[in-house]
Amino acid sequence: MIGVKNLKTPLIIIFLFISIFVACLKYSQYETIKQKEIELNKTLELIESDLQAYKLEYNRTYRDYLNQKLSREDIENAIKRVLFLKNRLIELNASKEDIKSVDNCIKDVYALQEESKFYTALKQSRSCAITASDSLGSILAVSNRTKLIEYAQEELRNLTLMKNEVEEEWKKILERGVNFTDYMVVGLIVEEDILKAEIFMNDSCNFLKRLQKMPNPQTPEEIENITILGGWVGGYLEFARSFLEDARVLMTRVNSGNFSPNELEEDVYALRDYLLSIDVPCNSTKFMAAVACDWKEYNKKLGLMGAERGYYSAAIYYLLYAIAINEHISEFKALDLAFNSTKTPADRVKIVLNLRHEALALLNSCPQDPITSLYVSDAVGWYFKQGDIILEHMLEFRREDTTPQPIYSYEMAKIIAKKMCRASILYRMNNSRNSCS
């Protein structure tokens, strides 16, 4: 009996110890959860306060400028292409979802048209056509690949002829002399559309070659892969057609004047040579720097193409864009390091908001004429907007964002505004001197 009593005592002590330990652990977990909730509330309050107090006031006047260049007839003509592709889908027994997607897209076009947002309506109608062509290519890739290949080959031939015609007509317009603002705004879009059309035609051709080499699909995975590839063939062809159609419409709206784009040749070559002298290959594995490097290479490619072909408005825009990113690659790397070194969500958000304020200050102080507005449109309409959308989602879903995306977005908005606002002012001053002389 004495032995049993002696045995119970240590067991009771151990049980008490375990009970106390478990209680302490639960309390610690509770405190941790409570602390995290407090930290999250503090973080979300910072974001909410900032979004309410500091807003983007930049007015993209280039859209108004372009809206005045277009008409309802232009939108109706663009919609005809969408309806043609929709009928092709109906003939191929496309799904109700595919047809509904095109119909909803067309409704959006008409809504924009009624608001007299003709340029936005034109771009939206092109998006509808691309959506329809993507579906068309996906269906034919599985149901009748031979027909898709024949269609794609014929479309590539037609687009090549169309591109040559557009380029020749654009060259004649420029030789006659143009209005400076028209060239820098409308001309930029015409020239970049021609360059982009060529890139998408080449990509579509490469997709087509891949499609021709693929064996007939047997498994669900193979069917899915060939469906995606067919969609790319159809979609990229329509991208190219849309760019050329837009260029064809817009270039007839460029007013004549005494400005010759050749006056910018020296500036373009100076920018090109400067970019090539400072450009270094990007091999960063850090998220922000790697993405920025990809965009730099894309803009460098278009900038050099524009310089080579005498598309000086587009060349200036893309060369400046590439230079801006290249000059700030080290900042992207530093931001990656700072982001990954933060200890709390609040610290991370403070980095985001500091960048947001820097971008806001630059954008809101940037001139708002059509040229500058077009030059900073990506910074305003894409990067800054995307940063704000991510912050708004954090508020809506009460979560802390673990990606550096908003930091990247605000940094891109900042560097584009810094480079493009100054550049646009210089070219307006240059034009003013030419006009007075």
Side-chain angles (χ1 to χ4, degrees), residues 108-287:
D108 292 338
V109 174
Y110 282 125
L112 290 165
Q113 186 186 45
E114 288 306 308
E115 295 173 19
S116 297
K117 295 179 179 179
F118 297 128
Y119 180 68
T120 308
L122 183 70
K123 301 303 290 184
Q124 180 66 21
S125 66
R126 304 304 188 202
S127 296
C128 301
I130 291 162
T131 298
S133 288
D134 187 293
S135 299
L136 191 69
S138 295
I139 294 169
L140 284 175
V142 177
S143 65
N144 194 335
R145 198 194 311 187
T146 301
K147 191 172 183 178
L148 174 59
I149 291 169
E150 290 174 354
Y151 164 77
Q153 289 173 336
E154 182 183 1
E155 188 72 351
L156 281 167
R157 286 192 293 270
N158 292 337
L159 289 173
T160 301
L161 291 172
M162 184 177 173
K163 177 177 172 293
N164 292 339
E165 290 171 3
V166 169
E167 287 187 297
E168 188 62 32
E169 185 59 35
W170 180 236
K171 190 185 298 182
K172 290 178 182 177
I173 290 171
L174 297 183
E175 286 173 353
R176 294 195 290 265
V178 292
N179 173 274
F180 175 75
T181 303
D182 271 6
Y183 178 66
M184 297 302 286
V185 180
V186 186
L188 167 55
I189 296 173
V190 171
E191 292 179 348
E192 73 171 354
D193 280 351
I194 295 171
L195 294 173
K196 286 179 179 178
E198 181 174 333
I199 290 173
F200 276 85
M201 285 165 64
N202 290 337
D203 287 343
S204 184
C205 186
N206 291 332
F207 292 141
L208 183 60
K209 289 176 182 176
R210 283 172 56 186
L211 185 66
Q212 288 173 306
K213 293 177 182 178
M214 290 182 74
N216 290 326
Q218 302 297 326
T219 66
E221 184 179 356
E222 289 174 345
I223 292 173
E224 182 180 2
N225 288 339
I226 205 167
T227 299
I228 292 170
L229 191 56
W232 287 348
V233 170
Y236 274 52
L237 283 170
E238 195 62 33
F239 263 113
R241 175 177 284 278
S242 295
F243 288 134
L244 291 174
E245 291 286 6
D246 284 354
R248 179 182 271 169
V249 170
L250 287 168
M251 70 183 186
T252 62
R253 314 302 160 84
V254 174
N255 293 330
S256 59
N258 58 6
F259 176 75
S260 170
N262 288 335
E263 295 176 36
L264 298 174
E265 183 177 20
E266 189 177 329
D267 295 319
V268 169
Y269 287 148
L271 285 173
R272 181 199 63 184
D273 294 343
Y274 176 65
L275 173 61
L276 294 176
S277 69
I278 64 170
D279 186 39
V280 291
C282 289
N283 54 6
S284 177
T285 56
K286 300 292 184 182
F287 168 78

Side-chain angles (χ1 to χ4, degrees), residues 254-352:
V254 174
N255 293 330
S256 59
N258 58 6
F259 176 75
S260 170
N262 288 335
E263 295 176 36
L264 298 174
E265 183 177 20
E266 189 177 329
D267 295 319
V268 169
Y269 287 148
L271 285 173
R272 181 199 63 184
D273 294 343
Y274 176 65
L275 173 61
L276 294 176
S277 69
I278 64 170
D279 186 39
V280 291
C282 289
N283 54 6
S284 177
T285 56
K286 300 292 184 182
F287 168 78
M288 278 184 270
V291 176
C293 285
D294 286 343
W295 274 116
K296 182 203 71 173
E297 290 299 324
Y298 174 76
N299 286 282
K300 175 185 170 184
K301 177 180 179 179
L302 284 172
L304 295 178
M305 285 175 66
E308 179 186 338
R309 298 176 195 193
Y311 294 158
Y312 295 139
S313 181
I316 288 170
Y317 175 84
Y318 284 109
L319 289 171
L320 285 171
Y321 207 129
I323 290 169
I325 298 173
N326 187 78
E327 289 177 337
H328 293 81
I329 291 296
S330 59
E331 289 182 28
F332 284 108
K333 293 178 180 177
L335 285 169
D336 258 316
L337 180 63
F339 179 83
N340 293 322
S341 301
T342 53
K343 295 181 179 179
T344 67
D347 291 337
R348 189 170 290 179
V349 163
K350 285 175 184 175
I351 295 175
V352 174

Side-chain angles (χ1 to χ4, degrees), residues 328-381:
H328 293 81
I329 291 296
S330 59
E331 289 182 28
F332 284 108
K333 293 178 180 177
L335 285 169
D336 258 316
L337 180 63
F339 179 83
N340 293 322
S341 301
T342 53
K343 295 181 179 179
T344 67
D347 291 337
R348 189 170 290 179
V349 163
K350 285 175 184 175
I351 295 175
V352 174
L353 297 182
N354 283 338
L355 281 173
R356 184 175 187 270
H357 292 170
E358 290 175 14
L360 262 176
L362 283 165
L363 288 171
N364 284 335
S365 63
C366 198
Q368 300 190 9
D369 59 280
I371 298 174
T372 312
S373 176
L374 178 57
Y375 269 49
V376 298
S377 61
D378 281 350
V380 176

